Each structure stands twice: as C-alpha cells, then as structure tokens.
C-alpha cells in the first residue's frame, strides 16, 4: 500500500513539474514575441524619422542609398510627396506623405497595444508559475513528512 501511495505522489509531482515547464515555455515564447514587436516598433519609428528627414532635405539633394549590407549608390532625391508602403500580404499602396506617416503611426499604436496585451498575459503566467511552485513546495514538504513518519513507524516495528 505504501508503494501505491508513493507512486501516486511521484505521478502528481511529475505532473506539477510538467505543468511548470509548460508555463515557463509559454513565458519564453511571449518574451520572444515581445522582442520581435519591439524590433518592429523601432523599425517603424526609424522609417518615419527617415521619411521626414528626406522630405526636409528637399528635391535635388544627393543621397546615398544602401544596396545590400556593404554598398551604397548615389542618387538624387525627388520630391517626397508620395510614399509606397506595405499594407500586408505582399500588397503595397502609394499614399501621400502625410497619410503614409499616419498609417505607419497607426501600425505602431497597434503594435504597442499588442505588446501590452502580451505583457499582461506574461504577468498572468508568472502568477500561475508562482502558484504552481507553491504547490510543488507544499507537495514536497508533504512527501518529506510522510517519509519521516514512515521511517519512524519502521523503526518502531524493528524494535518489537
């Protein structure tokens, strides 16, 4: 009977540990997603800054356009009145400068909202990890108490 109880306790502990690992994996996935969102937000903000700087330079200015990682070519800047932006699924649209910047800013707002939602979900997962960790500690303490009681009973039987 004692072995049956121990097996049940071992199974419960293994199940709790499995749940804990699953929660930790979910937290890590959320961290990666938040990091990717941060990169996108940074890129979008950089895009807006670059567009505004190009518009401020005005037509006829010479700029260097990156061609890959190691090369740049000289180009003369035209008026920056129309911007072609991606609207998803490989589709791009030409918009007036102000509308294009506005569209990118809307994307940033949406990404910030998504980031906040993911952070909230991650905080909830951390709460669940803490609860589960507490259960694991309590279960371990319970098993230790049972082990002490059982070894005490065995000692009494040996004395008889």
């Amino acid at each position: 009977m004692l072995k049956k109880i121990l097996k049940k306790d071992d199974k419960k502990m293994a199940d709790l540990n499995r749940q804990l690992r699953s929660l930790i994996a979910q937290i890590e996935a959320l961290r990666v997603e938040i990091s990717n969102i941060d990169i996108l937000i940074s890129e979008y903000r950089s895009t807006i800054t670059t567009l505004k700087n190009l518009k401020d330079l005005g037509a006829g200015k010479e700029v260097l356009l990156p061609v890959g990682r190691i090369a740049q070519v000289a180009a003369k800047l035209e008026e920056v009145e129309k911007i072609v932006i991606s609207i998803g699924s490989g589709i791009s649209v030409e918009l007036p400068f102000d509308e294009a910047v506005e569209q990118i800013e809307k994307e940033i707002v949406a990404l910030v909202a998504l980031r906040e939602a993911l952070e909230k979900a991650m905080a909830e997962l951390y709460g669940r990890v803490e609860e589960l960790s507490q259960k694991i500690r309590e279960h371990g303490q319970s098993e230790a108490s049972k082990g002490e009681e059982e070894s005490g009973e065995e000692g009494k039987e040996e004395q008889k």
Side-chain angles (χ1 to χ4, degrees), residues 95-139:
L95 296 173
F97 180 87
D98 291 334
E99 279 184 48
V101 169
E102 200 174 291
Q103 183 65 34
I104 297 168
E105 287 171 342
K106 285 179 186 177
E107 290 292 327
I108 292 171
V109 168
L111 286 169
V112 168
L114 177 58
R115 186 185 197 287
E116 289 171 358
L118 293 177
E119 285 176 334
K120 182 179 177 188
M122 195 163 67
E124 290 171 5
L125 287 173
Y126 273 120
R128 289 176 54 196
V129 163
E130 187 54 41
E131 290 171 12
L132 202 51
S133 295
Q134 182 62 33
K135 284 182 183 178
I136 289 171
R137 282 190 293 275
E138 290 170 1
H139 188 72

Side-chain angles (χ1 to χ4, degrees), residues 11-72:
K11 185 177 179 186
K12 183 174 181 180
M13 185 61 94
D15 186 49
L16 290 171
N17 281 317
R18 200 171 19 261
Q19 289 176 34
L20 183 61
R21 284 191 304 274
S22 173
L23 290 174
I24 291 169
Q26 290 175 47
I27 289 169
E28 187 54 34
L30 288 175
R31 272 194 194 126
V32 168
E33 190 63 30
I34 288 170
S35 176
N36 290 337
I37 288 171
D38 286 344
I39 290 168
L40 270 177
I41 290 170
S42 177
E43 287 177 10
Y44 287 179
R45 287 180 175 153
S46 178
T47 298
I48 290 172
T49 300
T50 301
L51 289 173
K52 287 179 178 180
N53 288 339
L54 287 172
K55 185 170 184 170
D56 289 345
L57 280 175
K61 298 288 184 188
E62 195 167 295
V63 295
L64 296 175
L65 295 176
V67 182
R69 288 184 168 262
I70 62 170
Q72 296 178 336

Side-chain angles (χ1 to χ4, degrees), residues 59-101:
K61 298 288 184 188
E62 195 167 295
V63 295
L64 296 175
L65 295 176
V67 182
R69 288 184 168 262
I70 62 170
Q72 296 178 336
V73 295
K76 284 209 178 197
L77 190 59
E78 296 287 328
E79 285 296 324
V80 184
E81 295 302 319
K82 301 275 185 192
I83 308 295
V84 177
I85 65 168
S86 172
I87 58 172
S89 300
I91 300 171
S92 296
V93 64
E94 183 179 83
L95 296 173
F97 180 87
D98 291 334
E99 279 184 48
V101 169

